[in-house]
Amino acid sequence: MSTEIKKIGVFTSGGDSPGMNAAIRSVVRTCAYMKIECVGIYRGYEGMIEGDFKPMDARSVNNIINKGGTILKSARSLEFRTPEGRAKAYENLKKESIDAFVVIGGDGSFTGAMIFNQEYNFPVIGIPGTIDNDIYGTTYTVGFDTALNTVVEVIDKIRDTASSHNRLFFVEVMGRDVGHIALNAGVGAGAEEILIPEENLGLDRLLESLKRSKQSGKSSSIVVVAEGDKTGKNVFELKEYVEEHIPIYDVRVSVLGHMQRGGSPSCFDRVLASRMGVKAVEALLEGKTSLMVGIQDNKLTLTPLIKAIKGHTKIDKELIRVSDIMST
Ligand code: ATP
C-alpha cells in the first residue's frame, strides 16, 4: 500500500441520483477506517474551483445512507472545462493538502476527472452515480435500481386508474440516449409496449399491438416511452396519433420527470454504493488512478475512465424478447 495518500477529497457531480449519499458515507467511513483524512467538496467541480471544502469524519455521515439526493450538493461547472478553471481547482486542492479524489457522477464528470489526472498527474477514481445506467464497465450504476422501483410503483398506480376507465396511458420515463429504465421498468410493470431509443419499433407495429390488445379483451394498456424513443413523436404526439387511428381508445399521457431521480435509495443501491466506496478508496491507496469502480457478475471491477467514457452500454435483447412475449 502506498503511503503517499493521506487525504482524499470526495464529491458528487452532474445529475444527482439516489444512493449518492450512501457512496459519500462509504468513502468517508473507509478513509476513517484506513486512518486517512477525508474532505467533502461541495457542488462538484464548482466547489473545487471556489475551495468549498469541509473535513469529514466518520460521524459526519451519520443517518444519510437512507437519504436521496446528495448532502454535498451537485453542480455543473463550465469553468472546469477550461484550463484556467482546472488550474484554480488544482491550487485549492494543494492548499488543502488533498492528495487524491473520488468523483461520484456520470460520464461528463469522469471526463473532467480524466483530463485533470492527465494535466496534473492527480490520482482520481470514479464511482458511477446516475439513474440512466448508461456507463460502460458496470452492469449497474448507483441510483438505477431505485429509479426502476420508483417508476414501477408509479405505473402500478396509473394502471389502477387506467383499468377503471379502460384507458390507454403513454408513460414517459427518463432515457434520452438509452432505454434501460424504460425496458426494465416496462417489463416489471407489465407494459403493453416499450419504446426505446435503441430499437425502432415503428408506429405501425404499435397500432397493430394496441388493436390486438383491444380485441383480446384487455381493459387497459400501458405503453412506456423513453424520452429518446425512435418513433419521431413525443408522448403527446403519440396520443394524438393513436386517437386518430384507433378512435375507440381513450388515451392519456403521464410524464414522470424528475421524480425518477428522487427518493430514498433501494437496499440494492445502498449496498452497491457502500461496496463501491470501499473499493474506490482502496484503489487510490494501492496507487491506482483514472479508473472507475464497476460491478460485473457481482464482482467489483476497475475500468479505465477512458473506456467508461467512450464505451456504450448495450440494451438487453433477451429482455426485449421477454417483453414481446409478455404482451401477447
Ligand atoms: P449526468 O449526465 O448523469 O447528469 P454527468 O457527470 O455526465 O452526469 P455532466 O454535466 O456531463 O454530468 O458533467 C458534469 C461536470 O463535469 C460538468 O459540469 C463539467 O464541470 C465536468 N466536465 C464534463 N465534461 C468535461 C470536459 N470535457 N472537460 C472538463 N470538465 C468536464
Side-chain angles (χ1 to χ4, degrees):
M1 189 188 291
S2 158
T3 52
E4 281 164 23
I5 291 176
K6 296 195 167 61
K7 202 189 253 194
I8 291 178
V10 59
F11 62 95
T12 48
S13 171
D16 63 303
S17 70
M20 280 186 160
N21 280 327
I24 294 167
R25 172 180 178 269
S26 174
V27 170
V28 171
R29 293 252 165 107
T30 307
C31 286
Y33 181 84
M34 300 288 186
K35 304 213 174 342
I36 56 171
E37 288 181 75
C38 190
V39 173
I41 301 167
Y42 282 87
R43 296 174 295 112
Y45 294 117
E46 195 82 13
M48 200 181 282
I49 289 170
E50 290 172 17
D52 197 357
F53 301 147
K54 186 183 161 201
M56 300 187 85
D57 62 16
R59 296 286 70 78
S60 68
V61 288
N62 286 352
N63 303 321
I64 66 164
I65 193 167
N66 55 333
K67 293 205 166 64
T70 157
I71 59 159
L72 291 177
K73 313 282 181 199
S74 192
R76 299 189 202 271
S77 166
L78 279 180
E79 208 181 343
F80 195 78
R81 291 174 183 268
T82 66
E84 296 76 22
R86 294 193 291 275
K88 279 192 212 166
Y90 182 72
E91 284 312 310
N92 284 330
L93 292 171
K94 283 288 106 188
K95 227 188 283 167
E96 193 71 21
S97 306
I98 296 171
D99 306 308
F101 68 62
V102 176
V103 49
I104 306 162
D107 56 353
S109 305
F110 294 163
T111 306
M114 189 186 70
I115 292 171
F116 194 70
N117 168 260
Q118 286 162 355
E119 285 177 347
Y120 294 100
N121 193 24
F122 194 88
V124 302
I125 294 281
I127 293 178
T130 164
I131 62 166
D132 293 324
N133 210 35
D134 58 349
I135 309 274
Y136 178 85
T138 187
T139 313
Y140 300 108
T141 56
V142 173
F144 175 59
D145 183 67
T146 306
L148 290 184
N149 288 322
T150 301
V151 172
V152 165
E153 198 183 321
V154 175
I155 296 180
D156 286 348
K157 291 185 169 129
I158 290 173
R159 182 180 294 285
D160 288 345
T161 172
S163 56
S164 303
H165 296 274
N166 286 352
R167 276 179 182 149
L168 161 64
F169 265 86
F170 282 105
V171 181
E172 187 192 271
V173 301
M174 282 190 174
R176 271 200 199 95
D177 305 309
V178 291
H180 298 299
I181 292 181
L183 184 58
N184 286 270
V187 169
E192 190 66 40
E193 286 291 348
I194 303 167
L195 308 181
I196 52 176
E198 293 87 344
E199 294 261 316
N200 193 353
L201 184 68
L203 291 167
D204 291 344
R205 204 195 110 163
L206 176 66
L207 289 182
E208 263 169 44
S209 163
L210 292 174
K211 279 182 194 158
R212 220 182 29 241
S213 92
K214 226 359 166 205
Q215 281 157 5
S216 73
K218 281 196 183 172
S219 62
S220 65
S221 292
I222 307 278
V223 176
V224 175
V225 186
E227 284 166 305
D229 89 282
K230 286 284 184 292
T231 57
K233 293 188 187 297
N234 66 36
V235 269
F236 297 99
E237 292 163 344
L238 282 172
K239 165 185 155 66
E240 280 174 20
Y241 184 81
V242 169
E243 281 177 336
E244 198 181 301
H245 289 83
I246 324 178
I248 191 172
Y249 266 118
D250 178 13
V251 190
R252 298 295 151 105
V253 168
S254 187
V255 177
L256 301 194
H258 280 81
M259 72 159 74
Q260 294 163 88
R261 281 191 197 277
S264 179
S266 65
C267 182
F268 181 89
D269 275 331
R270 297 180 198 193
V271 173
L272 181 66
S274 302
R275 293 177 70 185
M276 286 182 165
V278 172
K279 182 78 174 174
V281 173
E282 281 177 351
L284 283 173
L285 295 183
E286 284 163 12
K288 297 182 174 136
T289 183
S290 217
L291 299 167
M292 180 198 76
V293 180
I295 188 156
Q296 295 173 51
D297 297 327
N298 201 27
K299 296 230 162 29
L300 292 174
T301 53
L302 292 167
T303 299
L305 285 180
I306 183 80
K307 279 196 178 174
I309 295 159
K310 298 253 186 251
H312 290 286
T313 55
K314 288 208 177 80
I315 204 76
D316 187 345
K317 296 270 184 200
E318 190 245 348
L319 210 46
I320 294 179
R321 187 165 170 265
V322 169
S323 159
D324 285 347
I325 294 171
M326 289 305 111
S327 65
T328 299

